[in-house]
Amino acid sequence: MFDDLFMSELTILARHGAENASLALSRLMQRKFLITVNEVKTVPIQEVPESLGESDAIAICLFTKVEGDIEGDAILILKENDALNLIEILGGDKNVNIEESIGEMELSMLQETANITISSFMNTFMSYLNKSAIPSSPIYIRDLIGSILSVIIMESAEESDNALLFSTQFECKNKEMEAMFIFLPSPSSLKKLKNGLTNAQ
Amino acid sequence: MLSKKDVKIIKVLIGEVSLTRAPNLLQAILGSCVGVCIYDEVEKLGGLAHVFLPSSDGHQSEKLPSKFANIAIPMLRDAMIKHGGHQKNLKAKIAGGANMFSKITVKPGQHIGVLNLEAVKKALYDLDIPIISTDTGGNNGRKVEFELNTFNLCIDSPVSKGKII
């Protein structure tokens, strides 16, 4: 299903997407913010919940539904501590009691970061394919990493045995935060993506 | 007294079925999946099925058939019998089936956690295996550990730690 050419084009586009996201976030925050793509891979669905490491750690997930020519779910997922670091960098209260209830301002910071990151990735892909797709506003979920990821892949599990994962790193103010950007295109959208990438000149 | 190194922790990933004996531990991380523990207290034998979807109907040439409740549970029962378990001793404990994305209507109608739970209960009923205890539903994920020494199912979630059923 995923040949080398497709994966290599996907990786190149993901890196462009990360550059665009870095630019957008740097502008928003008026300081250098760097997003890099470490790895693009496909994994069998049953391995997805283990793909971020400790599956029993608590993570923050920002979930969007993508609609348009390409449809699917796009998710940004960070370990809790990395999400708190991100909140601090963005000027929020790092000591917010994220267990009880996240503050409105902190929530909006995380949603905005996810929105910009996911939109930048999607826009890069879509402009290359000459298609359009729009992510919904991100929904915040705090839960066990393994649990979140298993629910996210549930929808594609009936159709496919693999998922597309983009491991990314956020870097700002000498702090590094790991994030996973996951895109789960619907089966027909995956086909469009694959045809569009490997056939585009 | 057992030292920690004598106890093996076996991770049961999505769609997998695992079987072990005391004093080992079977572990799974669940969202809307259901962890089905079937055990034989006399033989000190137990297994865990990490059920991901309710039914294999309409899914052919599946690489991981044990992700479906209607396949995983009979598979686990058969493995129990094969390894010395006795049908009359078999009992079950189940956990999971949460609706974590309650804010998202993933699919209209019932959410997958409920469908998984229904399918699991039906499969256990069909095999005449009584359900001793449950911790199901809710909006949070669970980390479950099934201890083969005590047949305790220990459950941690972001909202509660150390629950034992």
Side-chain angles (χ1 to χ4, degrees), chain A residues 16-46:
Chain A
H16 280 301
E19 280 170 16
N20 290 339
S22 304
L23 195 63
L25 281 168
S26 300
R27 278 187 187 147
L28 177 80
M29 288 157 52
Q30 297 289 306
R31 70 169 81 242
K32 191 179 167 196
F33 194 106
L34 190 63
I35 300 178
T36 44
V37 175
N38 295 333
E39 200 183 8
V40 179
K41 59 179 176 181
T42 61
V43 300
I45 53 149
Q46 74 268 25

PDB file of all heavy atoms in Angstrom, chain A residues 16-46:
ATOM      1  N   HIS A  16       8.053  20.498   4.390  1.00  0.00           N
ATOM      2  CA  HIS A  16       7.570  21.817   3.943  1.00  0.00           C
ATOM      3  C   HIS A  16       6.471  22.298   4.874  1.00  0.00           C
ATOM      4  O   HIS A  16       6.426  23.474   5.247  1.00  0.00           O
ATOM      5  CB  HIS A  16       7.001  21.742   2.516  1.00  0.00           C
ATOM      6  CG  HIS A  16       8.041  21.764   1.459  1.00  0.00           C
ATOM      7  ND1 HIS A  16       8.931  22.805   1.326  1.00  0.00           N
ATOM      8  CD2 HIS A  16       8.347  20.881   0.471  1.00  0.00           C
ATOM      9  CE1 HIS A  16       9.741  22.554   0.306  1.00  0.00           C
ATOM     10  NE2 HIS A  16       9.410  21.379  -0.224  1.00  0.00           N
ATOM     11  N   GLY A  17       5.587  21.395   5.204  1.00  0.00           N
ATOM     12  CA  GLY A  17       4.476  21.735   6.105  1.00  0.00           C
ATOM     13  C   GLY A  17       4.989  22.234   7.440  1.00  0.00           C
ATOM     14  O   GLY A  17       4.496  23.221   7.999  1.00  0.00           O
ATOM     15  N   ALA A  18       6.028  21.572   7.955  1.00  0.00           N
ATOM     16  CA  ALA A  18       6.605  21.955   9.247  1.00  0.00           C
ATOM     17  C   ALA A  18       7.244  23.338   9.148  1.00  0.00           C
ATOM     18  O   ALA A  18       7.140  24.160  10.065  1.00  0.00           O
ATOM     19  CB  ALA A  18       7.627  20.912   9.676  1.00  0.00           C
ATOM     20  N   GLU A  19       7.885  23.615   8.002  1.00  0.00           N
ATOM     21  CA  GLU A  19       8.490  24.945   7.807  1.00  0.00           C
ATOM     22  C   GLU A  19       7.406  26.013   7.819  1.00  0.00           C
ATOM     23  O   GLU A  19       7.556  27.062   8.457  1.00  0.00           O
ATOM     24  CB  GLU A  19       9.236  25.002   6.469  1.00  0.00           C
ATOM     25  CG  GLU A  19      10.599  24.370   6.521  1.00  0.00           C
ATOM     26  CD  GLU A  19      11.220  24.225   5.138  1.00  0.00           C
ATOM     27  OE1 GLU A  19      10.735  24.880   4.183  1.00  0.00           O
ATOM     28  OE2 GLU A  19      12.184  23.434   5.020  1.00  0.00           O
ATOM     29  N   ASN A  20       6.333  25.746   7.113  1.00  0.00           N
ATOM     30  CA  ASN A  20       5.229  26.721   7.081  1.00  0.00           C
ATOM     31  C   ASN A  20       4.615  26.910   8.464  1.00  0.00           C
ATOM     32  O   ASN A  20       4.270  28.037   8.844  1.00  0.00           O
ATOM     33  CB  ASN A  20       4.154  26.280   6.089  1.00  0.00           C
ATOM     34  CG  ASN A  20       4.637  26.399   4.655  1.00  0.00           C
ATOM     35  OD1 ASN A  20       5.573  27.143   4.372  1.00  0.00           O
ATOM     36  ND2 ASN A  20       4.009  25.658   3.757  1.00  0.00           N
ATOM     37  N   ALA A  21       4.495  25.816   9.212  1.00  0.00           N
ATOM     38  CA  ALA A  21       3.951  25.915  10.559  1.00  0.00           C
ATOM     39  C   ALA A  21       4.897  26.707  11.458  1.00  0.00           C
ATOM     40  O   ALA A  21       4.458  27.539  12.270  1.00  0.00           O
ATOM     41  CB  ALA A  21       3.717  24.520  11.131  1.00  0.00           C
ATOM     42  N   SER A  22       6.218  26.490  11.294  1.00  0.00           N
ATOM     43  CA  SER A  22       7.209  27.232  12.091  1.00  0.00           C
ATOM     44  C   SER A  22       7.070  28.726  11.844  1.00  0.00           C
ATOM     45  O   SER A  22       7.094  29.534  12.777  1.00  0.00           O
ATOM     46  CB  SER A  22       8.633  26.829  11.708  1.00  0.00           C
ATOM     47  OG  SER A  22       8.804  25.461  11.832  1.00  0.00           O
ATOM     48  N   LEU A  23       6.931  29.059  10.571  1.00  0.00           N
ATOM     49  CA  LEU A  23       6.812  30.464  10.185  1.00  0.00           C
ATOM     50  C   LEU A  23       5.563  31.083  10.810  1.00  0.00           C
ATOM     51  O   LEU A  23       5.611  32.161  11.408  1.00  0.00           O
ATOM     52  CB  LEU A  23       6.738  30.531   8.658  1.00  0.00           C
ATOM     53  CG  LEU A  23       6.968  31.873   8.008  1.00  0.00           C
ATOM     54  CD1 LEU A  23       8.385  32.360   8.307  1.00  0.00           C
ATOM     55  CD2 LEU A  23       6.761  31.761   6.494  1.00  0.00           C
ATOM     56  N   ALA A  24       4.451  30.381  10.694  1.00  0.00           N
ATOM     57  CA  ALA A  24       3.185  30.913  11.204  1.00  0.00           C
ATOM     58  C   ALA A  24       3.241  31.079  12.732  1.00  0.00           C
ATOM     59  O   ALA A  24       2.808  32.107  13.268  1.00  0.00           O
ATOM     60  CB  ALA A  24       2.035  29.989  10.816  1.00  0.00           C
ATOM     61  N   LEU A  25       3.812  30.093  13.417  1.00  0.00           N
ATOM     62  CA  LEU A  25       3.868  30.176  14.883  1.00  0.00           C
ATOM     63  C   LEU A  25       4.871  31.250  15.325  1.00  0.00           C
ATOM     64  O   LEU A  25       4.631  31.967  16.304  1.00  0.00           O
ATOM     65  CB  LEU A  25       4.240  28.821  15.485  1.00  0.00           C
ATOM     66  CG  LEU A  25       3.081  27.821  15.553  1.00  0.00           C
ATOM     67  CD1 LEU A  25       3.588  26.428  15.889  1.00  0.00           C
ATOM     68  CD2 LEU A  25       2.047  28.248  16.596  1.00  0.00           C
ATOM     69  N   SER A  26       5.995  31.368  14.603  1.00  0.00           N
ATOM     70  CA  SER A  26       6.977  32.396  14.950  1.00  0.00           C
ATOM     71  C   SER A  26       6.368  33.782  14.815  1.00  0.00           C
ATOM     72  O   SER A  26       6.591  34.656  15.649  1.00  0.00           O
ATOM     73  CB  SER A  26       8.207  32.297  14.037  1.00  0.00           C
ATOM     74  OG  SER A  26       8.793  31.034  14.182  1.00  0.00           O
ATOM     75  N   ARG A  27       5.592  33.960  13.749  1.00  0.00           N
ATOM     76  CA  ARG A  27       4.940  35.264  13.531  1.00  0.00           C
ATOM     77  C   ARG A  27       3.961  35.554  14.649  1.00  0.00           C
ATOM     78  O   ARG A  27       3.918  36.656  15.192  1.00  0.00           O
ATOM     79  CB  ARG A  27       4.200  35.275  12.195  1.00  0.00           C
ATOM     80  CG  ARG A  27       5.131  35.563  11.051  1.00  0.00           C
ATOM     81  CD  ARG A  27       4.352  35.731   9.746  1.00  0.00           C
ATOM     82  NE  ARG A  27       5.291  35.830   8.643  1.00  0.00           N
ATOM     83  CZ  ARG A  27       5.046  35.377   7.437  1.00  0.00           C
ATOM     84  NH1 ARG A  27       3.893  34.799   7.162  1.00  0.00           N
ATOM     85  NH2 ARG A  27       5.946  35.521   6.488  1.00  0.00           N
ATOM     86  N   LEU A  28       3.177  34.547  14.990  1.00  0.00           N
ATOM     87  CA  LEU A  28       2.180  34.711  16.044  1.00  0.00           C
ATOM     88  C   LEU A  28       2.838  35.076  17.360  1.00  0.00           C
ATOM     89  O   LEU A  28       2.371  35.947  18.092  1.00  0.00           O
ATOM     90  CB  LEU A  28       1.384  33.408  16.207  1.00  0.00           C
ATOM     91  CG  LEU A  28       0.343  33.401  17.323  1.00  0.00           C
ATOM     92  CD1 LEU A  28      -0.928  34.114  16.861  1.00  0.00           C
ATOM     93  CD2 LEU A  28       0.008  31.990  17.766  1.00  0.00           C
ATOM     94  N   MET A  29       3.955  34.403  17.658  1.00  0.00           N
ATOM     95  CA  MET A  29       4.562  34.592  18.968  1.00  0.00           C
ATOM     96  C   MET A  29       5.658  35.638  18.984  1.00  0.00           C
ATOM     97  O   MET A  29       6.206  35.941  20.046  1.00  0.00           O
ATOM     98  CB  MET A  29       5.119  33.261  19.447  1.00  0.00           C
ATOM     99  CG  MET A  29       4.010  32.319  19.834  1.00  0.00           C
ATOM    100  SD  MET A  29       4.546  30.647  19.762  1.00  0.00           S
ATOM    101  CE  MET A  29       5.988  30.776  20.752  1.00  0.00           C
ATOM    102  N   GLN A  30       5.976  36.160  17.794  1.00  0.00           N
ATOM    103  CA  GLN A  30       7.031  37.167  17.692  1.00  0.00           C
ATOM    104  C   GLN A  30       8.358  36.658  18.233  1.00  0.00           C
ATOM    105  O   GLN A  30       9.117  37.394  18.861  1.00  0.00           O
ATOM    106  CB  GLN A  30       6.620  38.448  18.451  1.00  0.00           C
ATOM    107  CG  GLN A  30       5.389  39.131  17.892  1.00  0.00           C
ATOM    108  CD  GLN A  30       5.682  39.799  16.549  1.00  0.00           C
ATOM    109  OE1 GLN A  30       6.605  40.600  16.422  1.00  0.00           O
ATOM    110  NE2 GLN A  30       4.922  39.444  15.527  1.00  0.00           N
ATOM    111  N   ARG A  31       8.605  35.400  18.087  1.00  0.00           N
ATOM    112  CA  ARG A  31       9.916  34.843  18.427  1.00  0.00           C
ATOM    113  C   ARG A  31      10.108  33.564  17.623  1.00  0.00           C
ATOM    114  O   ARG A  31       9.153  33.019  17.077  1.00  0.00           O
ATOM    115  CB  ARG A  31      10.039  34.572  19.920  1.00  0.00           C
ATOM    116  CG  ARG A  31       9.174  33.421  20.405  1.00  0.00           C
ATOM    117  CD  ARG A  31       9.549  33.045  21.810  1.00  0.00           C
ATOM    118  NE  ARG A  31       8.934  33.953  22.777  1.00  0.00           N
ATOM    119  CZ  ARG A  31       9.604  34.734  23.599  1.00  0.00           C
ATOM    120  NH1 ARG A  31      10.920  34.740  23.562  1.00  0.00           N
ATOM    121  NH2 ARG A  31       9.000  35.498  24.450  1.00  0.00           N
ATOM    122  N   LYS A  32      11.391  33.122  17.578  1.00  0.00           N
ATOM    123  CA  LYS A  32      11.666  31.957  16.738  1.00  0.00           C
ATOM    124  C   LYS A  32      11.029  30.698  17.330  1.00  0.00           C
ATOM    125  O   LYS A  32      11.215  30.372  18.500  1.00  0.00           O
ATOM    126  CB  LYS A  32      13.176  31.772  16.623  1.00  0.00           C
ATOM    127  CG  LYS A  32      13.537  30.765  15.560  1.00  0.00           C
ATOM    128  CD  LYS A  32      15.043  30.611  15.460  1.00  0.00           C
ATOM    129  CE  LYS A  32      15.367  29.376  14.637  1.00  0.00           C
ATOM    130  NZ  LYS A  32      16.740  28.949  14.808  1.00  0.00           N
ATOM    131  N   PHE A  33      10.254  30.052  16.532  1.00  0.00           N
ATOM    132  CA  PHE A  33       9.625  28.799  16.940  1.00  0.00           C
ATOM    133  C   PHE A  33       9.863  27.816  15.811  1.00  0.00           C
ATOM    134  O   PHE A  33       9.515  28.087  14.664  1.00  0.00           O
ATOM    135  CB  PHE A  33       8.118  29.024  17.145  1.00  0.00           C
ATOM    136  CG  PHE A  33       7.433  27.913  17.880  1.00  0.00           C
ATOM    137  CD1 PHE A  33       7.033  28.072  19.194  1.00  0.00           C
ATOM    138  CD2 PHE A  33       7.171  26.700  17.250  1.00  0.00           C
ATOM    139  CE1 PHE A  33       6.403  27.048  19.887  1.00  0.00           C
ATOM    140  CE2 PHE A  33       6.540  25.674  17.928  1.00  0.00           C
ATOM    141  CZ  PHE A  33       6.153  25.847  19.254  1.00  0.00           C
ATOM    142  N   LEU A  34      10.512  26.706  16.125  1.00  0.00           N
ATOM    143  CA  LEU A  34      10.910  25.777  15.072  1.00  0.00           C
ATOM    144  C   LEU A  34      10.205  24.436  15.209  1.00  0.00           C
ATOM    145  O   LEU A  34      10.215  23.825  16.273  1.00  0.00           O
ATOM    146  CB  LEU A  34      12.428  25.578  15.136  1.00  0.00           C
ATOM    147  CG  LEU A  34      13.059  24.827  13.970  1.00  0.00           C
ATOM    148  CD1 LEU A  34      12.884  25.587  12.662  1.00  0.00           C
ATOM    149  CD2 LEU A  34      14.539  24.581  14.246  1.00  0.00           C
ATOM    150  N   ILE A  35       9.570  24.019  14.134  1.00  0.00           N
ATOM    151  CA  ILE A  35       8.986  22.671  14.121  1.00  0.00           C
ATOM    152  C   ILE A  35       9.756  21.847  13.104  1.00  0.00           C
ATOM    153  O   ILE A  35       9.946  22.277  11.962  1.00  0.00           O
ATOM    154  CB  ILE A  35       7.490  22.700  13.736  1.00  0.00           C
ATOM    155  CG1 ILE A  35       6.706  23.548  14.741  1.00  0.00           C
ATOM    156  CG2 ILE A  35       6.916  21.288  13.685  1.00  0.00           C
ATOM    157  CD1 ILE A  35       5.239  23.662  14.417  1.00  0.00           C
ATOM    158  N   THR A  36      10.249  20.704  13.537  1.00  0.00           N
ATOM    159  CA  THR A  36      10.949  19.833  12.599  1.00  0.00           C
ATOM    160  C   THR A  36      10.260  18.475  12.564  1.00  0.00           C
ATOM    161  O   THR A  36       9.673  18.041  13.549  1.00  0.00           O
ATOM    162  CB  THR A  36      12.426  19.633  12.997  1.00  0.00           C
ATOM    163  OG1 THR A  36      12.480  19.406  14.396  1.00  0.00           O
ATOM    164  CG2 THR A  36      13.258  20.843  12.663  1.00  0.00           C
ATOM    165  N   VAL A  37      10.343  17.855  11.396  1.00  0.00           N
ATOM    166  CA  VAL A  37       9.768  16.516  11.255  1.00  0.00           C
ATOM    167  C   VAL A  37      10.907  15.510  11.396  1.00  0.00           C
ATOM    168  O   VAL A  37      11.860  15.522  10.626  1.00  0.00           O
ATOM    169  CB  VAL A  37       9.088  16.353   9.879  1.00  0.00           C
ATOM    170  CG1 VAL A  37       8.604  14.928   9.687  1.00  0.00           C
ATOM    171  CG2 VAL A  37       7.932  17.323   9.755  1.00  0.00           C
ATOM    172  N   ASN A  38      10.846  14.698  12.410  1.00  0.00           N
ATOM    173  CA  ASN A  38      11.904  13.706  12.628  1.00  0.00           C
ATOM    174  C   ASN A  38      11.685  12.475  11.768  1.00  0.00           C
ATOM    175  O   ASN A  38      12.616  11.905  11.242  1.00  0.00           O
ATOM    176  CB  ASN A  38      11.935  13.260  14.096  1.00  0.00           C
ATOM    177  CG  ASN A  38      12.321  14.394  15.012  1.00  0.00           C
ATOM    178  OD1 ASN A  38      13.027  15.315  14.600  1.00  0.00           O
ATOM    179  ND2 ASN A  38      11.851  14.347  16.244  1.00  0.00           N
ATOM    180  N   GLU A  39      10.458  12.098  11.653  1.00  0.00           N
ATOM    181  CA  GLU A  39      10.202  10.830  10.991  1.00  0.00           C
ATOM    182  C   GLU A  39       8.776  10.784  10.456  1.00  0.00           C
ATOM    183  O   GLU A  39       7.856  11.284  11.096  1.00  0.00           O
ATOM    184  CB  GLU A  39      10.400   9.700  12.015  1.00  0.00           C
ATOM    185  CG  GLU A  39      10.630   8.355  11.387  1.00  0.00           C
ATOM    186  CD  GLU A  39      10.755   7.244  12.413  1.00  0.00           C
ATOM    187  OE1 GLU A  39      10.511   7.497  13.616  1.00  0.00           O
ATOM    188  OE2 GLU A  39      11.083   6.123  12.001  1.00  0.00           O
ATOM    189  N   VAL A  40       8.628  10.227   9.282  1.00  0.00           N
ATOM    190  CA  VAL A  40       7.287   9.945   8.763  1.00  0.00           C
ATOM    191  C   VAL A  40       7.216   8.441   8.596  1.00  0.00           C
ATOM    192  O   VAL A  40       8.113   7.841   8.014  1.00  0.00           O
ATOM    193  CB  VAL A  40       7.053  10.631   7.397  1.00  0.00           C
ATOM    194  CG1 VAL A  40       5.664  10.309   6.866  1.00  0.00           C
ATOM    195  CG2 VAL A  40       7.228  12.133   7.527  1.00  0.00           C
ATOM    196  N   LYS A  41       6.208   7.855   9.172  1.00  0.00           N
ATOM    197  CA  LYS A  41       6.145   6.400   9.014  1.00  0.00           C
ATOM    198  C   LYS A  41       4.713   5.888   9.004  1.00  0.00           C
ATOM    199  O   LYS A  41       3.782   6.591   9.404  1.00  0.00           O
ATOM    200  CB  LYS A  41       6.952   5.702  10.110  1.00  0.00           C
ATOM    201  CG  LYS A  41       6.490   6.012  11.504  1.00  0.00           C
ATOM    202  CD  LYS A  41       7.343   5.252  12.516  1.00  0.00           C
ATOM    203  CE  LYS A  41       6.959   5.618  13.925  1.00  0.00           C
ATOM    204  NZ  LYS A  41       7.767   4.945  14.930  1.00  0.00           N
ATOM    205  N   THR A  42       4.612   4.669   8.532  1.00  0.00           N
ATOM    206  CA  THR A  42       3.321   3.995   8.629  1.00  0.00           C
ATOM    207  C   THR A  42       3.523   2.863   9.619  1.00  0.00           C
ATOM    208  O   THR A  42       4.576   2.236   9.632  1.00  0.00           O
ATOM    209  CB  THR A  42       2.887   3.393   7.286  1.00  0.00           C
ATOM    210  OG1 THR A  42       3.860   2.440   6.907  1.00  0.00           O
ATOM    211  CG2 THR A  42       2.737   4.448   6.232  1.00  0.00           C
ATOM    212  N   VAL A  43       2.569   2.674  10.458  1.00  0.00           N
ATOM    213  CA  VAL A  43       2.680   1.559  11.403  1.00  0.00           C
ATOM    214  C   VAL A  43       1.383   0.765  11.387  1.00  0.00           C
ATOM    215  O   VAL A  43       0.315   1.320  11.124  1.00  0.00           O
ATOM    216  CB  VAL A  43       3.000   2.028  12.846  1.00  0.00           C
ATOM    217  CG1 VAL A  43       4.298   2.788  12.914  1.00  0.00           C
ATOM    218  CG2 VAL A  43       1.875   2.841  13.419  1.00  0.00           C
ATOM    219  N   PRO A  44       1.494  -0.522  11.647  1.00  0.00           N
ATOM    220  CA  PRO A  44       0.269  -1.326  11.758  1.00  0.00           C
ATOM    221  C   PRO A  44      -0.593  -0.738  12.874  1.00  0.00           C
ATOM    222  O   PRO A  44      -0.043  -0.314  13.901  1.00  0.00           O
ATOM    223  CB  PRO A  44       0.779  -2.714  12.150  1.00  0.00           C
ATOM    224  CG  PRO A  44       2.228  -2.721  11.802  1.00  0.00           C
ATOM    225  CD  PRO A  44       2.697  -1.315  11.908  1.00  0.00           C
ATOM    226  N   ILE A  45      -1.887  -0.707  12.660  1.00  0.00           N
ATOM    227  CA  ILE A  45      -2.739   0.005  13.615  1.00  0.00           C
ATOM    228  C   ILE A  45      -2.583  -0.440  15.051  1.00  0.00           C
ATOM    229  O   ILE A  45      -2.644   0.368  15.950  1.00  0.00           O
ATOM    230  CB  ILE A  45      -4.232  -0.036  13.239  1.00  0.00           C
ATOM    231  CG1 ILE A  45      -4.665  -1.470  13.026  1.00  0.00           C
ATOM    232  CG2 ILE A  45      -4.548   0.850  12.076  1.00  0.00           C
ATOM    233  CD1 ILE A  45      -6.109  -1.668  13.398  1.00  0.00           C
ATOM    234  N   GLN A  46      -2.340  -1.733  15.272  1.00  0.00           N
ATOM    235  CA  GLN A  46      -2.280  -2.163  16.672  1.00  0.00           C
ATOM    236  C   GLN A  46      -1.036  -1.641  17.374  1.00  0.00           C
ATOM    237  O   GLN A  46      -0.954  -1.688  18.590  1.00  0.00           O
ATOM    238  CB  GLN A  46      -2.403  -3.692  16.800  1.00  0.00           C
ATOM    239  CG  GLN A  46      -1.186  -4.485  16.399  1.00  0.00           C
ATOM    240  CD  GLN A  46      -1.235  -4.882  14.945  1.00  0.00           C
ATOM    241  OE1 GLN A  46      -1.889  -4.239  14.122  1.00  0.00           O
ATOM    242  NE2 GLN A  46      -0.530  -5.942  14.596  1.00  0.00           N
TER     243      GLN A  46
END
